[in-house]
Amino acid sequence: MHRYANPARFMRMSARVTPWLAGITILLAGAGLYLGLFVSPADYQQSETVRIMYVHVPAAWIALSCYVGMAVGAAVGLIWKHPLAHVMTKSSAPIGAIFTFLALLTGSLWGKPMWGTYWVWDARLTSMLVLFFLYIGYMALNNAFDDPGRGTTASAILVLVGSVNIPIIKFSVEWWNTLHQPASVIRAGGPTIDTSMLWPLLLMIAAYTTYYVWVLFIRMRTDIMETRLRALRMRQVHEQAGS
């Protein structure tokens, strides 16, 4: 991975990989949606509302995974001062915020028919809402300074401090008596979901993951090109001022 931690190498590698990611995402999403919406059975308790799971669970997965990736990028950027790590962290934030919002929204739509309410201050729901605010706070802090370097450092520290919320989200259904149901996919003893529902769900999780990497590469490439353009303009300004 260190070989590709160079912006020039990353640009060449991502240019080759991005079209493949787009194609794989479309194939996985198509298969997952077809199996989830038309082949998998309705749940004996949740009836057709169980199909929200095929959108909600992958969104929650990306919301958490994206933040973990940001925490790693922030740590690498702060310790080794590698600019590509900060670019990855910055580019991930809007994606993570959108998927967190999608997880909260679809969870509320599922909660109304199942729990009788769109929202409760449940441990899992509340910690996911905190995650959404962490994404928003990171983006606001990153753009709050006239000096981009100070903004990058301050927002990276915020990401690392906020990473304590990730295990709280994951284990909230085990640590507290919560309205949210326990984990049914990633758990000790294996998944508790029937295979007719598990496979469409895994396909959708894979589709969301490749989509995240696809969009992340596009955003990182855009950020790198904008940085190069700004540097080129600054050089031209200095050359004109010196002539």
Side-chain angles (χ1 to χ4, degrees), residues 170-171 173-174 181-193:
K170 169 61 181 172
F171 298 107
V173 292
E174 300 176 17
Q181 66 272 25
S184 54
V185 179
I186 301 177
R187 59 184 291 278
T192 58
I193 301 178

Side-chain angles (χ1 to χ4, degrees), residues 37 46 48-58 105-111 113 201 208:
L37 297 180
Q46 304 177 39
E48 297 293 341
T49 58
V50 73
R51 303 190 195 282
I52 296 177
M53 167 181 70
Y54 301 120
V55 178
H56 171 73
V57 174
L105 177 64
T106 52
S108 296
L109 294 176
W110 179 88
L201 181 60
Y208 273 51

Side-chain angles (χ1 to χ4, degrees), residues 56-70 92-93 95-104 127-128 131-132 135 165-166 169 208-209 212:
H56 171 73
V57 174
W61 161 260
I62 294 299
L64 269 65
S65 302
C66 184
Y67 198 90
V68 171
M70 287 176 62
S92 291
I95 308 172
I98 290 172
F99 277 108
T100 307
F101 178 78
L102 180 61
L104 290 168
S127 53
M128 281 296 291
L131 180 65
F132 178 70
Y135 278 121
N165 189 49
I166 299 301
I169 295 173
Y208 273 51
T209 303
Y212 160 65

Side-chain angles (χ1 to χ4, degrees), residues 2-224:
H2 179 73
R3 181 170 177 267
Y4 295 104
N6 175 287
R9 289 197 182 101
F10 170 79
M11 293 295 283
R12 291 195 295 271
M13 180 275 293
S14 59
R16 292 194 296 269
V17 172
T18 301
W20 286 97
L21 288 170
I24 293 171
T25 298
I26 293 172
L27 289 175
L28 289 172
L33 286 174
Y34 174 73
L35 292 176
L37 297 180
F38 301 108
V39 177
S40 68
D43 185 74
Y44 77 102
Q45 284 184 319
Q46 304 177 39
S47 65
E48 297 293 341
T49 58
V50 73
R51 303 190 195 282
I52 296 177
M53 167 181 70
Y54 301 120
V55 178
H56 171 73
V57 174
W61 161 260
I62 294 299
L64 269 65
S65 302
C66 184
Y67 198 90
V68 171
M70 287 176 62
V72 173
V76 171
L78 288 174
I79 296 171
W80 287 287
K81 310 295 183 186
H82 201 293
L84 199 59
H86 287 309
V87 172
M88 188 276 284
T89 305
K90 180 182 176 184
S91 300
S92 291
I95 308 172
I98 290 172
F99 277 108
T100 307
F101 178 78
L102 180 61
L104 290 168
L105 177 64
T106 52
S108 296
L109 294 176
W110 179 88
K112 180 61 177 176
M114 293 298 106
W115 296 341
T117 178
Y118 288 109
W119 180 265
V120 291
W121 291 103
D122 172 88
R124 172 63 66 85
L125 273 64
T126 304
S127 53
M128 281 296 291
L129 183 62
V130 170
L131 180 65
F132 178 70
F133 289 143
L134 283 170
Y135 278 121
I136 300 300
Y138 168 84
M139 290 186 285
L141 190 59
N142 191 266
N143 296 312
F145 294 85
D146 292 332
D147 180 1
R150 293 180 61 193
T152 299
T153 301
S155 56
I157 293 173
L158 175 64
V159 170
L160 292 176
V161 172
S163 64
V164 71
N165 189 49
I166 299 301
I168 293 176
I169 295 173
K170 169 61 181 172
F171 298 107
S172 58
V173 292
E174 300 176 17
W175 291 345
W176 293 286
N177 183 17
T178 174
L179 187 60
H180 197 283
Q181 66 272 25
S184 54
V185 179
I186 301 177
R187 59 184 291 278
T192 58
I193 301 178
D194 186 81
T195 53
S196 61
M197 297 179 180
L198 180 61
W199 279 110
L201 181 60
L202 293 178
L203 283 171
M204 289 302 292
I205 291 174
Y208 273 51
T209 303
T210 54
Y211 175 78
Y212 160 65
V213 179
W214 172 25
V215 176
L216 174 64
F217 279 6
I218 292 175
R219 291 187 58 82
M220 290 178 67
R221 289 176 58 82
T222 302
D223 190 285
I224 292 171

